[in-house]
PDB file of all heavy atoms in Angstrom:
ATOM      1  N   ARG A 150      -1.078 -13.804  -3.799  1.00  0.00           N
ATOM      2  CA  ARG A 150      -1.792 -13.588  -5.068  1.00  0.00           C
ATOM      3  C   ARG A 150      -1.442 -12.224  -5.659  1.00  0.00           C
ATOM      4  O   ARG A 150      -1.317 -12.086  -6.885  1.00  0.00           O
ATOM      5  CB  ARG A 150      -3.304 -13.708  -4.861  1.00  0.00           C
ATOM      6  CG  ARG A 150      -4.115 -13.525  -6.159  1.00  0.00           C
ATOM      7  CD  ARG A 150      -5.557 -13.907  -5.983  1.00  0.00           C
ATOM      8  NE  ARG A 150      -5.712 -15.326  -5.718  1.00  0.00           N
ATOM      9  CZ  ARG A 150      -5.723 -16.271  -6.666  1.00  0.00           C
ATOM     10  NH1 ARG A 150      -5.593 -15.930  -7.944  1.00  0.00           N
ATOM     11  NH2 ARG A 150      -5.863 -17.532  -6.332  1.00  0.00           N
ATOM     12  N   LEU A 151      -1.298 -11.227  -4.810  1.00  0.00           N
ATOM     13  CA  LEU A 151      -0.899  -9.919  -5.322  1.00  0.00           C
ATOM     14  C   LEU A 151       0.450  -9.997  -6.028  1.00  0.00           C
ATOM     15  O   LEU A 151       0.631  -9.423  -7.101  1.00  0.00           O
ATOM     16  CB  LEU A 151      -0.838  -8.899  -4.181  1.00  0.00           C
ATOM     17  CG  LEU A 151      -2.182  -8.385  -3.678  1.00  0.00           C
ATOM     18  CD1 LEU A 151      -1.997  -7.578  -2.396  1.00  0.00           C
ATOM     19  CD2 LEU A 151      -2.868  -7.527  -4.742  1.00  0.00           C
ATOM     20  N   TRP A 152       1.407 -10.713  -5.436  1.00  0.00           N
ATOM     21  CA  TRP A 152       2.714 -10.846  -6.097  1.00  0.00           C
ATOM     22  C   TRP A 152       2.572 -11.534  -7.457  1.00  0.00           C
ATOM     23  O   TRP A 152       3.244 -11.157  -8.420  1.00  0.00           O
ATOM     24  CB  TRP A 152       3.690 -11.626  -5.216  1.00  0.00           C
ATOM     25  CG  TRP A 152       3.928 -11.034  -3.865  1.00  0.00           C
ATOM     26  CD1 TRP A 152       3.844 -11.656  -2.655  1.00  0.00           C
ATOM     27  CD2 TRP A 152       4.274  -9.664  -3.562  1.00  0.00           C
ATOM     28  NE1 TRP A 152       4.109 -10.783  -1.634  1.00  0.00           N
ATOM     29  CE2 TRP A 152       4.379  -9.559  -2.157  1.00  0.00           C
ATOM     30  CE3 TRP A 152       4.493  -8.531  -4.345  1.00  0.00           C
ATOM     31  CZ2 TRP A 152       4.708  -8.368  -1.528  1.00  0.00           C
ATOM     32  CZ3 TRP A 152       4.816  -7.338  -3.721  1.00  0.00           C
ATOM     33  CH2 TRP A 152       4.923  -7.260  -2.329  1.00  0.00           C
ATOM     34  N   ARG A 153       1.704 -12.552  -7.523  1.00  0.00           N
ATOM     35  CA  ARG A 153       1.500 -13.225  -8.817  1.00  0.00           C
ATOM     36  C   ARG A 153       0.855 -12.283  -9.824  1.00  0.00           C
ATOM     37  O   ARG A 153       1.251 -12.243 -10.996  1.00  0.00           O
ATOM     38  CB  ARG A 153       0.640 -14.478  -8.633  1.00  0.00           C
ATOM     39  CG  ARG A 153       1.330 -15.605  -7.881  1.00  0.00           C
ATOM     40  CD  ARG A 153       0.643 -16.943  -8.100  1.00  0.00           C
ATOM     41  NE  ARG A 153      -0.737 -16.942  -7.665  1.00  0.00           N
ATOM     42  CZ  ARG A 153      -1.123 -17.163  -6.411  1.00  0.00           C
ATOM     43  NH1 ARG A 153      -0.224 -17.380  -5.462  1.00  0.00           N
ATOM     44  NH2 ARG A 153      -2.406 -17.169  -6.083  1.00  0.00           N
ATOM     45  N   GLU A 154      -0.152 -11.537  -9.376  1.00  0.00           N
ATOM     46  CA  GLU A 154      -0.833 -10.605 -10.273  1.00  0.00           C
ATOM     47  C   GLU A 154       0.141  -9.552 -10.806  1.00  0.00           C
ATOM     48  O   GLU A 154       0.029  -9.121 -11.957  1.00  0.00           O
ATOM     49  CB  GLU A 154      -1.992  -9.919  -9.545  1.00  0.00           C
ATOM     50  CG  GLU A 154      -3.136 -10.836  -9.171  1.00  0.00           C
ATOM     51  CD  GLU A 154      -4.091 -11.076 -10.330  1.00  0.00           C
ATOM     52  OE1 GLU A 154      -4.070 -10.283 -11.293  1.00  0.00           O
ATOM     53  OE2 GLU A 154      -4.844 -12.059 -10.269  1.00  0.00           O
ATOM     54  N   PHE A 155       1.069  -9.144  -9.982  1.00  0.00           N
ATOM     55  CA  PHE A 155       2.028  -8.127 -10.390  1.00  0.00           C
ATOM     56  C   PHE A 155       3.236  -8.722 -11.130  1.00  0.00           C
ATOM     57  O   PHE A 155       4.086  -7.972 -11.610  1.00  0.00           O
ATOM     58  CB  PHE A 155       2.535  -7.343  -9.175  1.00  0.00           C
ATOM     59  CG  PHE A 155       1.510  -6.421  -8.570  1.00  0.00           C
ATOM     60  CD1 PHE A 155       1.237  -6.465  -7.220  1.00  0.00           C
ATOM     61  CD2 PHE A 155       0.829  -5.520  -9.357  1.00  0.00           C
ATOM     62  CE1 PHE A 155       0.299  -5.603  -6.649  1.00  0.00           C
ATOM     63  CE2 PHE A 155      -0.112  -4.656  -8.802  1.00  0.00           C
ATOM     64  CZ  PHE A 155      -0.379  -4.699  -7.441  1.00  0.00           C
ATOM     65  N   GLY A 156       3.320 -10.052 -11.188  1.00  0.00           N
ATOM     66  CA  GLY A 156       4.463 -10.686 -11.844  1.00  0.00           C
ATOM     67  C   GLY A 156       5.739 -10.597 -11.039  1.00  0.00           C
ATOM     68  O   GLY A 156       6.839 -10.573 -11.599  1.00  0.00           O
ATOM     69  N   LEU A 157       5.619 -10.564  -9.705  1.00  0.00           N
ATOM     70  CA  LEU A 157       6.777 -10.370  -8.837  1.00  0.00           C
ATOM     71  C   LEU A 157       7.078 -11.572  -7.940  1.00  0.00           C
ATOM     72  O   LEU A 157       7.910 -11.465  -7.042  1.00  0.00           O
ATOM     73  CB  LEU A 157       6.564  -9.133  -7.952  1.00  0.00           C
ATOM     74  CG  LEU A 157       6.532  -7.777  -8.653  1.00  0.00           C
ATOM     75  CD1 LEU A 157       6.159  -6.683  -7.659  1.00  0.00           C
ATOM     76  CD2 LEU A 157       7.868  -7.464  -9.309  1.00  0.00           C
ATOM     77  N   SER A 158       6.425 -12.689  -8.174  1.00  0.00           N
ATOM     78  CA  SER A 158       6.590 -13.833  -7.264  1.00  0.00           C
ATOM     79  C   SER A 158       8.043 -14.264  -7.135  1.00  0.00           C
ATOM     80  O   SER A 158       8.475 -14.720  -6.064  1.00  0.00           O
ATOM     81  CB  SER A 158       5.742 -15.018  -7.747  1.00  0.00           C
ATOM     82  OG  SER A 158       4.374 -14.718  -7.637  1.00  0.00           O
ATOM     83  N   ASP A 159       8.812 -14.118  -8.211  1.00  0.00           N
ATOM     84  CA  ASP A 159      10.214 -14.544  -8.164  1.00  0.00           C
ATOM     85  C   ASP A 159      11.122 -13.481  -7.550  1.00  0.00           C
ATOM     86  O   ASP A 159      12.329 -13.705  -7.414  1.00  0.00           O
ATOM     87  CB  ASP A 159      10.707 -14.910  -9.568  1.00  0.00           C
ATOM     88  CG  ASP A 159      10.616 -13.740 -10.538  1.00  0.00           C
ATOM     89  OD1 ASP A 159       9.896 -12.766 -10.244  1.00  0.00           O
ATOM     90  OD2 ASP A 159      11.263 -13.800 -11.600  1.00  0.00           O
ATOM     91  N   GLN A 160      10.562 -12.335  -7.168  1.00  0.00           N
ATOM     92  CA  GLN A 160      11.367 -11.259  -6.602  1.00  0.00           C
ATOM     93  C   GLN A 160      11.179 -11.105  -5.096  1.00  0.00           C
ATOM     94  O   GLN A 160      11.831 -10.270  -4.474  1.00  0.00           O
ATOM     95  CB  GLN A 160      11.008  -9.927  -7.282  1.00  0.00           C
ATOM     96  CG  GLN A 160      11.267  -9.889  -8.770  1.00  0.00           C
ATOM     97  CD  GLN A 160      12.739 -10.002  -9.107  1.00  0.00           C
ATOM     98  OE1 GLN A 160      13.591  -9.524  -8.365  1.00  0.00           O
ATOM     99  NE2 GLN A 160      13.055 -10.642 -10.222  1.00  0.00           N
ATOM    100  N   VAL A 161      10.280 -11.882  -4.512  1.00  0.00           N
ATOM    101  CA  VAL A 161       9.988 -11.744  -3.084  1.00  0.00           C
ATOM    102  C   VAL A 161      10.092 -13.095  -2.380  1.00  0.00           C
ATOM    103  O   VAL A 161       9.901 -14.143  -2.995  1.00  0.00           O
ATOM    104  CB  VAL A 161       8.580 -11.145  -2.851  1.00  0.00           C
ATOM    105  CG1 VAL A 161       8.521  -9.711  -3.335  1.00  0.00           C
ATOM    106  CG2 VAL A 161       7.510 -11.983  -3.521  1.00  0.00           C
TER     107      VAL A 161
END
Side-chain angles (χ1 to χ4, degrees):
R150 181 169 294 278
L151 284 170
W152 302 129
R153 291 198 300 276
E154 293 278 342
F155 289 128
L157 293 174
S158 293
D159 60 343
Q160 299 295 327
V161 293

